[in-house]
Amino acid sequence: MSERYVSEESLIEAASILLKAGGLREGDAAIIAQDLVAANLRGLDSHGVSRIPMYLERIRRGVVNPQPTITVKRVTSAVAHVDGNDGMGFLAAHRAIDEGIALAKESGIGLVGVSRSTHFGMASLYVQQAIDAGYIALGYTNSSPALPVYGGKTAFLGASPFAAGVPGGKENSDYVLDMAMTVIARGKIRLAATHCEPIPEGLALDADGTPTTDAKAAFEGVCLPFGGPKGAALAMLMDLLAGVFTGANYGGNVKSLYFDHSEPQNVGHLFFVIRPDLFMSKEEYENRMDTFVSRIKSLPRAQGFDEILIPGEPEERKSEERLKSGIPLTEKVVESLLEEADRHGIELLPILK
């Protein structure tokens, strides 16, 4: 599969142009373009610029509001609710973290629920936003049906990624966890289907409930939860907290990004933002984080491991590598972006050369 390498700046520019052409405000387009390229930089290409044509198609079909009026309601001194107005989930989620930080600054902790949102891309974006401001964060979201409940065979629960971010100390990396409730992120199966590539056994079932390695059949069927009943139970918790609790759609009613353009998704998110110095000084907290990570790094290593990494480190290293070498895009992804540019009469090829 041939690839071309594009710089971060060029890819952000191209993504911004396409998103603005699709009806987004210039500032919103810039934010989402940066978010999508951040996913590509971290090696999560399934959540990067390859999703732009799908996002713009949903805008064209009227199920995503390209210029939402996002509103915030303070519920208590430490709780707020964000109404995403059916806009791009990136915008509602970033706004939620901003509100969570403001609440945590005043009360030590901020809890923010979000409804009437849509797919928000890479979940780690939002805990990283909190970390950059010096806060701990937990992020929950529900999503369209992708996996069965334990004992079922039809899609009911979402892949619903969970994200957690804990600021590091003075010497060590931040802890950044971003994981779906499936054995593998559904977006990776979609990307494999796009490129007509097979997937390993044990990841998914086809529409008839039969194990499959055909990515297209898997994408049209169901993903399997990691850890069997454990992953399914966590996916159920995500739907309860992010869907039932926030007032968003839930229980199999979140609309599919790909197959259902009947109405807006009404995805729900829930974020906790916490000050790390609630129980000790910031300096003591940072020293303890440095000690914690150094202890992990010095642990005896299992056979085949040269070092021990904490969550977020592999992605950070991938990002540093791609900042130097460029971001690889398959010809199929480039072609889809150029087709979208042609639709709007935009000359994008010189930017992606």
Side-chain angles (χ1 to χ4, degrees):
M1 182 169 53
S2 61
E3 294 177 329
R4 70 175 67 188
Y5 288 77
V6 181
S7 71
E8 176 196 23
E9 296 79 7
S10 294
L11 199 51
I12 289 175
E13 181 183 358
S16 297
I17 289 171
L18 287 176
L19 291 166
K20 184 180 177 183
L24 274 70
R25 291 176 288 241
E26 184 172 359
D28 293 344
I31 290 169
I32 296 171
Q34 290 170 6
D35 286 348
L36 293 172
V37 175
N40 286 113
L41 281 172
R42 291 173 71 83
L44 193 63
D45 296 311
S46 59
H47 287 60
V49 297
S50 66
R51 287 186 178 256
I52 289 176
M54 178 269 294
Y55 287 143
L56 296 185
E57 176 64 17
R58 290 185 62 78
I59 290 173
R60 283 191 290 271
R61 289 177 176 262
V63 292
V64 174
N65 182 354
Q67 299 190 14
T69 300
I70 298 171
T71 57
V72 179
K73 177 183 177 182
R74 285 285 181 105
V75 179
T76 73
S77 60
V79 181
H81 181 265
V82 173
D83 182 333
N85 195 210
D86 298 321
M88 295 286 281
F90 301 83
L91 305 176
H94 279 306
R95 180 65 181 275
I97 292 294
D98 285 339
E99 292 299 322
I101 290 170
L103 291 168
K105 187 174 183 180
E106 297 173 10
S107 303
I109 184 170
L111 173 63
V112 185
V114 183
S115 61
R116 291 217 297 160
S117 185
T118 61
H119 187 268
F120 69 3
M122 180 174 69
S124 60
L125 289 165
Y126 311 108
V127 297
Q128 187 64 58
Q129 180 185 349
I131 286 174
D132 292 343
Y135 292 81
I136 296 168
L138 304 174
Y140 305 77
T141 188
N142 65 359
S143 56
S144 58
L147 56 91
V149 298
Y150 188 66
K153 72 173 186 178
T154 57
F156 180 79
L157 301 168
S160 302
F162 167 71
V166 182
K170 297 176 182 177
E171 301 176 8
N172 292 296
S173 303
D174 303 323
Y175 172 101
V176 181
L177 174 68
D178 180 353
M179 66 177 199
M181 300 300 108
T182 49
V183 179
I184 186 175
R186 192 165 186 246
K188 292 182 179 180
I189 293 178
R190 181 189 69 86
L191 206 57
T194 299
H195 295 112
C196 301
E197 297 173 346
I199 59 173
E201 293 181 357
L203 301 187
L205 309 177
D206 64 20
D208 295 322
T210 304
T212 183
T213 58
D214 183 319
K216 184 175 184 295
F219 191 67
E220 294 171 352
V222 296
C223 299
L224 293 175
F226 76 89
K230 295 180 181 180
L234 286 174
M236 192 178 295
L237 177 64
M238 304 295 279
D239 203 16
L240 290 171
L241 292 179
V244 174
F245 183 48
T246 63
N249 276 348
Y250 66 95
N253 283 339
V254 176
K255 304 305 177 184
S256 170
L257 274 172
Y258 311 98
F259 307 124
D260 191 339
H261 300 110
S262 61
E263 60 184 73
Q265 282 190 294
N266 192 8
V267 174
H269 320 304
L270 186 71
F271 298 102
F272 291 85
V273 180
I274 308 163
R275 256 182 34 211
D277 60 348
L278 291 181
F279 307 117
M280 65 196 72
S281 69
K282 182 180 178 182
E283 182 177 7
E284 183 179 356
Y285 164 81
E286 290 177 340
N287 289 337
R288 289 167 67 86
M289 283 297 297
D290 283 336
T291 299
F292 180 81
V293 174
S294 66
R295 287 177 182 175
I296 288 177
K297 296 290 187 179
S298 62
L299 290 170
R301 296 185 294 275
Q303 185 174 357
F305 287 84
D306 296 325
E307 63 177 323
I308 297 173
L309 303 177
I310 64 171
E313 275 193 289
E315 294 83 1
E316 186 61 32
R317 292 184 182 184
K318 177 64 72 174
S319 181
E320 291 172 0
E321 173 191 319
R322 288 187 169 186
L323 282 171
K324 295 176 183 177
S325 64
I327 297 167
L329 299 179
T330 66
E331 288 304 320
K332 186 154 284 191
V333 169
V334 171
E335 182 180 315
S336 71
L337 297 178
L338 293 178
E339 286 176 359
E340 195 63 49
D342 288 343
R343 180 189 293 269
H344 297 284
I346 297 168
E347 180 57 58
L348 207 60
L349 190 57
I351 301 174
L352 296 176
K353 63 183 178 182

